[in-house]
Amino acid sequence: METPPPPERPVPDQPQAPPPPQAPPEGAPSYGGPVPPGGWDQPVAQQGSGWHGRPLASWGTRLGAQVIDWLILLVPVLVLAFIVGAIAFGSDTGAVVTAIVGFLAYLVVAFLYAPLLMAREGARNGQTWGKQVLGIRVIRDGGEQMTFGAAALREIAVKGLAVGIASSIIPLIPWFLNFFWPLWDDQNRALHDMVVSTHVVQA
């Protein structure tokens, strides 16, 4: 009597090979964009955080506007000197009183000149007469209009008093740094621009 053959063991399922990739149909659009960086690739360079607003005013233009403003403020000095000289012929006391009163009045005009002009509404906002002639203006980084308070903070408190007091302690160096800083700053800012967050741009 023949021995029956042993039962066949079930063969485990073999993993099926993936089908070969099919070529895209002729005329199909292919992806042509940049390949995303992998783990060992360099990251995509980020854009710098420079100034992206209006074109900046050059240092020479800023200097020219300042000179024009100085010349405008020189006119009251010449008028005052003429008046004091004329009064001095008749009375020494009158000349002294006139000189003192005139000097105090000049200080008021000199301090208020820039803030009052820069606080004007409309197209002249941020401009003194010197800046107006050369087509530049001061703008605030937050986009707000230049008000009298903001202009006074910039022109009187920081640019005038703070730099002046620092220059009296360390002669000339603070004034020199503030005046020439736009030459090497990448956004053409003076030190007082950095303190009060302003830029000088083309109007």
Side-chain angles (χ1 to χ4, degrees):
M1 184 174 183
E2 294 182 359
T3 305
E8 296 183 0
R9 294 182 181 181
V11 179
D13 295 337
Q14 297 293 331
Q16 297 182 356
Q22 297 182 355
E26 188 176 354
S30 60
Y31 177 71
V35 179
W40 294 98
D41 295 334
Q42 293 295 329
V44 178
Q46 298 295 321
Q47 215 172 15
S49 58
W51 174 251
H52 300 294
R54 296 182 183 181
L56 295 166
S58 67
W59 182 81
T61 308
R62 294 182 64 160
L63 174 61
Q66 186 67 66
V67 170
I68 293 173
D69 289 330
W70 284 340
L71 292 175
I72 291 173
L73 288 172
L74 182 62
V75 173
V77 174
L78 297 177
V79 173
L80 177 62
F82 176 80
I83 293 174
V84 171
I87 294 176
F89 283 109
S91 170
D92 292 340
T93 303
V96 171
V97 171
T98 304
I100 293 174
V101 173
F103 177 72
L104 294 175
Y106 174 77
L107 286 180
V108 172
V109 172
F111 275 112
L112 297 182
Y113 168 80
L116 284 175
L117 290 175
M118 291 170 66
R120 291 178 292 175
E121 297 289 339
R124 301 307 177 195
N125 185 258
Q127 291 184 317
T128 60
W129 284 330
K131 290 180 175 63
Q132 183 175 330
V133 169
L134 294 185
I136 61 177
R137 73 173 66 251
V138 178
I139 61 172
R140 301 168 72 180
D141 293 351
E144 307 92 342
Q145 292 280 304
M146 286 296 294
T147 62
F148 178 84
L153 176 64
R154 182 183 190 271
E155 300 294 323
I156 299 175
V158 179
K159 186 177 177 181
L161 295 179
V163 175
I165 292 172
S167 295
S168 66
I169 299 172
I170 309 173
L172 294 180
I173 293 179
W175 179 87
F176 179 91
L177 290 175
N178 183 61
F179 189 78
F180 290 102
W181 199 269
L183 288 175
W184 52 78
D185 182 73
D186 61 347
Q187 298 179 28
N188 292 8
R189 294 170 299 179
L191 294 179
H192 60 267
D193 288 314
M194 298 181 183
V195 172
V196 299
S197 298
T198 57
H199 281 78
V200 182
V201 298
Q202 298 176 17

